[in-house]
Amino acid sequence: MHFRHLGSSGLMVSEISYGNWLTHGSQVEEAAAVACVRAALDEGITTFDTADVYAGTRAEEVLGRALQGQRREGLEIFTKVYWPTGPGPNDRGLSRKHILESIHGSLRRLKTDYVDLYQAHRYDTETPLEETMQAFADVVRQGKAHYIGVSEWTAEQLREGVKLARQLGFQLVSSQPQYSMLWRVIEAEVVPASQELGVGQVVFSPIAQGVLTGKYRPGQKPPEGSRATDEKGGASFIQRFLNDDVLTRVQQLTPVAQEAGLSLAQLAVAWVLQNPNVSSAIIGASRPEQVKENVKAVGVKLSQDAMRRIDSILGP
Ligand code: NDP
């Protein structure tokens, strides 16, 4: 495993993190979830990402159980707050009330006294940013989270957040956006702003939820047991990539991967890691073999020719 700083902070994170959205507590049985976590640990992954809202809070519970017995100092555990976790008007968002209550639930479910990174899962337009950042400052001062990050904030929101965090005496160190060869939105504004601000990207869905493995083929039904057939939720999220044009282009990446000695999934993970503003790529997996395959992207340097060919096949 290789490690990178999380933004300009001193925290080191594994270049590949393991995340459990849609899998733990939902698509996969507990035994398979534990096997994936074991595989991640065996491959040297130390950074684990979850959220209070995944699988109706069950994902945090499963991860907490799966990590029991590990040396806590050897792990970086990330979770998030924002999306509704209950029916009440205060069971959501980034109010002081919800942040201070939600962190308790997360720590209890994760069976830990602190998380390494606590993230705002989205920007809350209904709560003053000052209130949110003061609540995060208090969470850090109480030792319940060591660092604060955000997810899918715009460049402007990041600038405001970083400024307030500095005034309040803590660091906003990371941004968690979607980023893959098929989803490059952050390159325009978020990455340049983050480089300036010392914010690192912890990118999600680096293989576009499985699409960049090439297993979804144009004109064919999705393979049985894949996320696209997961009626518990996964199927709806992956739809945006499942059209014949995208799937045809993905197949055209095969020679690029082969010439680099990689599988398509490894090419996809290696590609996001070529961006120096990326601190870690969070992979998901429904089976331990997927973790073992994808982790081999660590340390791969893609040639300029490979990068150019990828741009010409998929469009920059
Ligand atoms: P990926 O793009 O890595 O997709 C993972 C899925 O792809 C797996 O569950 C598996 O699905 C399939 N897959 C992975 N490797 C292989 C392989 N080698 N061969 C074949 N199929 C493979 O990431 P996710 O979309 O799962 O997201 C990763 C993490 O990012 C989440 O767990 C979460 O922590 C975070 N995230 C954060 C979000 C946010 O808003 N902040 C939003 C989304 C994710 P299957 O076998 O079922 O086909």
Side-chain angles (χ1 to χ4, degrees), residues 6 38 77 92 100 111 114 150 165 186 193 197 202 245 284 287 301:
L6 185 55
R38 291 269 154 75
I77 301 179
R92 63 193 66 202
L100 295 181
K111 298 184 193 297
Y114 64 92
V150 300
I186 58 167
L197 297 166
V202 179
D245 175 46
R287 291 197 293 280
K301 174 93 183 80

PDB file of all heavy atoms in Angstrom, residues 6 38 77 92 100 111 114 150 165 186 193 197 202 245 284 287 301:
ATOM      1  N   LEU A   6      -3.733  13.629   3.686  1.00  0.00           N
ATOM      2  CA  LEU A   6      -5.105  14.064   3.411  1.00  0.00           C
ATOM      3  C   LEU A   6      -5.064  15.596   3.277  1.00  0.00           C
ATOM      4  O   LEU A   6      -4.951  16.321   4.276  1.00  0.00           O
ATOM      5  CB  LEU A   6      -6.042  13.636   4.537  1.00  0.00           C
ATOM      6  CG  LEU A   6      -7.525  13.928   4.306  1.00  0.00           C
ATOM      7  CD1 LEU A   6      -8.033  13.319   3.002  1.00  0.00           C
ATOM      8  CD2 LEU A   6      -8.370  13.409   5.467  1.00  0.00           C
ATOM      9  N   ARG A  38     -11.812  -7.786   5.687  1.00  0.00           N
ATOM     10  CA  ARG A  38     -10.569  -8.550   5.933  1.00  0.00           C
ATOM     11  C   ARG A  38      -9.632  -8.446   4.738  1.00  0.00           C
ATOM     12  O   ARG A  38      -8.418  -8.232   4.888  1.00  0.00           O
ATOM     13  CB  ARG A  38     -10.884 -10.039   6.160  1.00  0.00           C
ATOM     14  CG  ARG A  38     -11.601 -10.315   7.439  1.00  0.00           C
ATOM     15  CD  ARG A  38     -10.605 -10.603   8.592  1.00  0.00           C
ATOM     16  NE  ARG A  38     -11.224 -10.269   9.876  1.00  0.00           N
ATOM     17  CZ  ARG A  38     -12.161 -10.993  10.482  1.00  0.00           C
ATOM     18  NH1 ARG A  38     -12.578 -12.114   9.947  1.00  0.00           N
ATOM     19  NH2 ARG A  38     -12.675 -10.602  11.631  1.00  0.00           N
ATOM     20  N   ILE A  77     -10.892   5.988  10.216  1.00  0.00           N
ATOM     21  CA  ILE A  77     -12.317   5.716  10.013  1.00  0.00           C
ATOM     22  C   ILE A  77     -13.028   7.035   9.703  1.00  0.00           C
ATOM     23  O   ILE A  77     -12.906   8.005  10.455  1.00  0.00           O
ATOM     24  CB  ILE A  77     -12.929   5.036  11.259  1.00  0.00           C
ATOM     25  CG1 ILE A  77     -12.198   3.716  11.546  1.00  0.00           C
ATOM     26  CG2 ILE A  77     -14.424   4.801  11.059  1.00  0.00           C
ATOM     27  CD1 ILE A  77     -12.694   2.970  12.771  1.00  0.00           C
ATOM     28  N   ARG A  92     -31.892  15.516  10.188  1.00  0.00           N
ATOM     29  CA  ARG A  92     -31.245  15.732   8.893  1.00  0.00           C
ATOM     30  C   ARG A  92     -30.485  17.051   8.910  1.00  0.00           C
ATOM     31  O   ARG A  92     -30.667  17.873   9.819  1.00  0.00           O
ATOM     32  CB  ARG A  92     -32.304  15.797   7.792  1.00  0.00           C
ATOM     33  CG  ARG A  92     -33.253  16.963   7.979  1.00  0.00           C
ATOM     34  CD  ARG A  92     -34.472  16.866   7.093  1.00  0.00           C
ATOM     35  NE  ARG A  92     -35.284  15.720   7.492  1.00  0.00           N
ATOM     36  CZ  ARG A  92     -36.166  15.110   6.720  1.00  0.00           C
ATOM     37  NH1 ARG A  92     -36.369  15.541   5.501  1.00  0.00           N
ATOM     38  NH2 ARG A  92     -36.859  14.081   7.157  1.00  0.00           N
ATOM     39  N   LEU A 100     -24.366  17.403  16.472  1.00  0.00           N
ATOM     40  CA  LEU A 100     -23.917  16.954  17.804  1.00  0.00           C
ATOM     41  C   LEU A 100     -24.624  15.660  18.219  1.00  0.00           C
ATOM     42  O   LEU A 100     -24.054  14.844  18.956  1.00  0.00           O
ATOM     43  CB  LEU A 100     -24.120  18.056  18.850  1.00  0.00           C
ATOM     44  CG  LEU A 100     -23.254  19.302  18.610  1.00  0.00           C
ATOM     45  CD1 LEU A 100     -23.488  20.350  19.697  1.00  0.00           C
ATOM     46  CD2 LEU A 100     -21.769  18.972  18.535  1.00  0.00           C
ATOM     47  N   LYS A 111     -18.518   1.547  17.153  1.00  0.00           N
ATOM     48  CA  LYS A 111     -17.800   1.014  18.329  1.00  0.00           C
ATOM     49  C   LYS A 111     -16.423   1.657  18.472  1.00  0.00           C
ATOM     50  O   LYS A 111     -15.399   0.982  18.599  1.00  0.00           O
ATOM     51  CB  LYS A 111     -17.639  -0.509  18.237  1.00  0.00           C
ATOM     52  CG  LYS A 111     -18.943  -1.279  18.217  1.00  0.00           C
ATOM     53  CD  LYS A 111     -18.640  -2.774  18.221  1.00  0.00           C
ATOM     54  CE  LYS A 111     -19.856  -3.607  17.895  1.00  0.00           C
ATOM     55  NZ  LYS A 111     -20.940  -3.491  18.858  1.00  0.00           N
ATOM     56  N   TYR A 114     -13.805   7.835  18.610  1.00  0.00           N
ATOM     57  CA  TYR A 114     -13.633   8.982  17.706  1.00  0.00           C
ATOM     58  C   TYR A 114     -13.594   8.490  16.266  1.00  0.00           C
ATOM     59  O   TYR A 114     -13.273   7.330  16.006  1.00  0.00           O
ATOM     60  CB  TYR A 114     -12.305   9.722  18.023  1.00  0.00           C
ATOM     61  CG  TYR A 114     -11.080   8.869  17.777  1.00  0.00           C
ATOM     62  CD1 TYR A 114     -10.431   8.885  16.540  1.00  0.00           C
ATOM     63  CD2 TYR A 114     -10.594   8.012  18.759  1.00  0.00           C
ATOM     64  CE1 TYR A 114      -9.334   8.071  16.296  1.00  0.00           C
ATOM     65  CE2 TYR A 114      -9.505   7.198  18.517  1.00  0.00           C
ATOM     66  CZ  TYR A 114      -8.873   7.227  17.292  1.00  0.00           C
ATOM     67  OH  TYR A 114      -7.798   6.408  17.041  1.00  0.00           O
ATOM     68  N   VAL A 150     -15.778  17.515   3.788  1.00  0.00           N
ATOM     69  CA  VAL A 150     -17.104  17.737   3.207  1.00  0.00           C
ATOM     70  C   VAL A 150     -17.250  16.821   1.985  1.00  0.00           C
ATOM     71  O   VAL A 150     -16.271  16.222   1.547  1.00  0.00           O
ATOM     72  CB  VAL A 150     -17.307  19.212   2.791  1.00  0.00           C
ATOM     73  CG1 VAL A 150     -17.171  20.136   3.993  1.00  0.00           C
ATOM     74  CG2 VAL A 150     -16.333  19.615   1.689  1.00  0.00           C
ATOM     75  N   ALA A 165     -13.416  27.666   9.093  1.00  0.00           N
ATOM     76  CA  ALA A 165     -12.726  26.659   9.914  1.00  0.00           C
ATOM     77  C   ALA A 165     -11.445  27.250  10.480  1.00  0.00           C
ATOM     78  O   ALA A 165     -11.144  27.084  11.672  1.00  0.00           O
ATOM     79  CB  ALA A 165     -12.431  25.409   9.081  1.00  0.00           C
ATOM     80  N   ILE A 186     -15.180  17.650 -11.229  1.00  0.00           N
ATOM     81  CA  ILE A 186     -14.363  18.414 -10.260  1.00  0.00           C
ATOM     82  C   ILE A 186     -13.122  19.057 -10.879  1.00  0.00           C
ATOM     83  O   ILE A 186     -12.530  19.955 -10.290  1.00  0.00           O
ATOM     84  CB  ILE A 186     -13.907  17.548  -9.059  1.00  0.00           C
ATOM     85  CG1 ILE A 186     -13.105  16.318  -9.526  1.00  0.00           C
ATOM     86  CG2 ILE A 186     -15.083  17.190  -8.194  1.00  0.00           C
ATOM     87  CD1 ILE A 186     -12.379  15.605  -8.383  1.00  0.00           C
ATOM     88  N   ALA A 193      -9.457  24.986  -6.873  1.00  0.00           N
ATOM     89  CA  ALA A 193      -9.698  25.674  -5.589  1.00  0.00           C
ATOM     90  C   ALA A 193      -9.101  24.870  -4.437  1.00  0.00           C
ATOM     91  O   ALA A 193      -8.478  25.425  -3.526  1.00  0.00           O
ATOM     92  CB  ALA A 193     -11.202  25.867  -5.370  1.00  0.00           C
ATOM     93  N   LEU A 197      -6.383  25.747  -1.499  1.00  0.00           N
ATOM     94  CA  LEU A 197      -6.841  25.760  -0.096  1.00  0.00           C
ATOM     95  C   LEU A 197      -6.198  24.670   0.766  1.00  0.00           C
ATOM     96  O   LEU A 197      -6.426  24.637   1.974  1.00  0.00           O
ATOM     97  CB  LEU A 197      -8.373  25.562  -0.056  1.00  0.00           C
ATOM     98  CG  LEU A 197      -9.220  26.644  -0.731  1.00  0.00           C
ATOM     99  CD1 LEU A 197     -10.654  26.153  -0.924  1.00  0.00           C
ATOM    100  CD2 LEU A 197      -9.206  27.926   0.114  1.00  0.00           C
ATOM    101  N   VAL A 202     -11.046  12.937  -1.636  1.00  0.00           N
ATOM    102  CA  VAL A 202     -11.214  11.517  -1.310  1.00  0.00           C
ATOM    103  C   VAL A 202     -12.343  11.086  -2.239  1.00  0.00           C
ATOM    104  O   VAL A 202     -13.510  11.332  -1.958  1.00  0.00           O
ATOM    105  CB  VAL A 202     -11.618  11.351   0.174  1.00  0.00           C
ATOM    106  CG1 VAL A 202     -11.807   9.879   0.497  1.00  0.00           C
ATOM    107  CG2 VAL A 202     -10.566  11.960   1.083  1.00  0.00           C
ATOM    108  N   ASP A 245     -23.842   3.842 -25.657  1.00  0.00           N
ATOM    109  CA  ASP A 245     -22.711   4.678 -26.076  1.00  0.00           C
ATOM    110  C   ASP A 245     -21.583   4.587 -25.044  1.00  0.00           C
ATOM    111  O   ASP A 245     -20.429   4.302 -25.388  1.00  0.00           O
ATOM    112  CB  ASP A 245     -23.186   6.135 -26.237  1.00  0.00           C
ATOM    113  CG  ASP A 245     -22.019   7.047 -26.561  1.00  0.00           C
ATOM    114  OD1 ASP A 245     -21.203   6.675 -27.432  1.00  0.00           O
ATOM    115  OD2 ASP A 245     -21.876   8.105 -25.915  1.00  0.00           O
ATOM    116  N   GLY A 284     -15.639   0.439  -3.638  1.00  0.00           N
ATOM    117  CA  GLY A 284     -16.649  -0.419  -3.021  1.00  0.00           C
ATOM    118  C   GLY A 284     -16.418  -1.825  -3.536  1.00  0.00           C
ATOM    119  O   GLY A 284     -15.770  -2.014  -4.568  1.00  0.00           O
ATOM    120  N   ARG A 287     -17.479  -8.394  -3.188  1.00  0.00           N
ATOM    121  CA  ARG A 287     -16.743  -9.650  -2.975  1.00  0.00           C
ATOM    122  C   ARG A 287     -15.277  -9.344  -2.683  1.00  0.00           C
ATOM    123  O   ARG A 287     -14.720  -8.409  -3.278  1.00  0.00           O
ATOM    124  CB  ARG A 287     -16.829 -10.531  -4.233  1.00  0.00           C
ATOM    125  CG  ARG A 287     -18.234 -11.075  -4.461  1.00  0.00           C
ATOM    126  CD  ARG A 287     -18.210 -12.238  -5.429  1.00  0.00           C
ATOM    127  NE  ARG A 287     -17.829 -11.830  -6.756  1.00  0.00           N
ATOM    128  CZ  ARG A 287     -18.649 -11.262  -7.626  1.00  0.00           C
ATOM    129  NH1 ARG A 287     -19.899 -11.044  -7.300  1.00  0.00           N
ATOM    130  NH2 ARG A 287     -18.232 -10.935  -8.821  1.00  0.00           N
ATOM    131  N   LYS A 301       1.953   4.013 -12.559  1.00  0.00           N
ATOM    132  CA  LYS A 301       2.118   5.292 -13.256  1.00  0.00           C
ATOM    133  C   LYS A 301       1.660   5.073 -14.692  1.00  0.00           C
ATOM    134  O   LYS A 301       2.247   4.261 -15.426  1.00  0.00           O
ATOM    135  CB  LYS A 301       3.607   5.691 -13.187  1.00  0.00           C
ATOM    136  CG  LYS A 301       3.979   6.910 -13.982  1.00  0.00           C
ATOM    137  CD  LYS A 301       3.911   8.172 -13.114  1.00  0.00           C
ATOM    138  CE  LYS A 301       4.208   9.438 -13.922  1.00  0.00           C
ATOM    139  NZ  LYS A 301       3.095   9.942 -14.723  1.00  0.00           N
TER     140      LYS A 301
END
